[in-house]
Amino acid sequence: MVGYLTTHVLDTARGCPADGLRIDLVRIEGSVRTHIRTLYTNDDGRTDEQILPAGEFNIGTYELVFHAGAYLDACGVPPEEPRFLDEIPLRFGMSEAAHYHVPLLLSPFGYSTYRGS
């Protein structure tokens, strides 16, 4: 089996995919954080390529950092200072070579995630 990582971001306040949201992928090894790549969501709320493709997949602990504050600013959501949600770090482990799908359901004052398929 081949391992890889994908995501999908939905703006639940507006009822649409989150287009143009920046996502950073970071690998966590003890206290060392290694930035792997930065991608942006497309008009379907997905990235145009896998966040972590099969050829680069390794078992381990990772973090997806969703830049929600910048996305909400771009959507015209009135800002508060500081914004309640700015960067949303989701730390998770990948323990086997499989398809890991880590979606984000986002609104200005809350979010949820799960392991999707």
Side-chain angles (χ1 to χ4, degrees):
M1 173 165 261
V2 177
Y4 60 100
L5 174 64
T6 59
T7 192
H8 188 199
V9 184
L10 298 174
D11 183 330
T12 58
R14 296 181 1 178
C16 62
D19 183 11
L21 190 142
R22 176 181 165 186
I23 303 168
D24 292 321
L25 175 64
V26 177
R27 181 171 169 87
I28 311 292
E29 296 176 282
S31 62
V32 177
R33 298 171 51 86
T34 304
H35 179 267
I36 297 174
R37 73 177 31 88
T38 297
L39 297 165
Y40 290 83
T41 56
N42 59 25
D43 62 0
D44 190 36
R46 302 174 189 275
T47 56
D48 288 333
E49 57 191 71
Q50 296 168 349
I51 294 175
L52 187 62
E56 299 173 33
F57 182 87
N58 286 300
I59 290 170
T61 302
Y62 291 85
E63 195 170 87
L64 287 173
V65 181
F66 296 88
H67 293 264
Y71 166 79
L72 294 168
D73 289 345
C75 291
V77 174
E80 63 277 56
E81 188 56 43
R83 189 174 277 290
F84 180 69
L85 291 178
D86 185 17
E87 294 181 3
I88 301 172
L90 296 179
R91 187 172 293 189
F92 57 95
M94 296 192 292
S95 60
E96 62 180 329
H99 176 195
Y100 287 84
H101 184 68
V102 182
L104 183 74
L105 304 176
L106 173 65
S107 77
F109 298 103
Y111 67 91
S112 65
T113 189
Y114 54 93
R115 182 175 174 184
S117 59

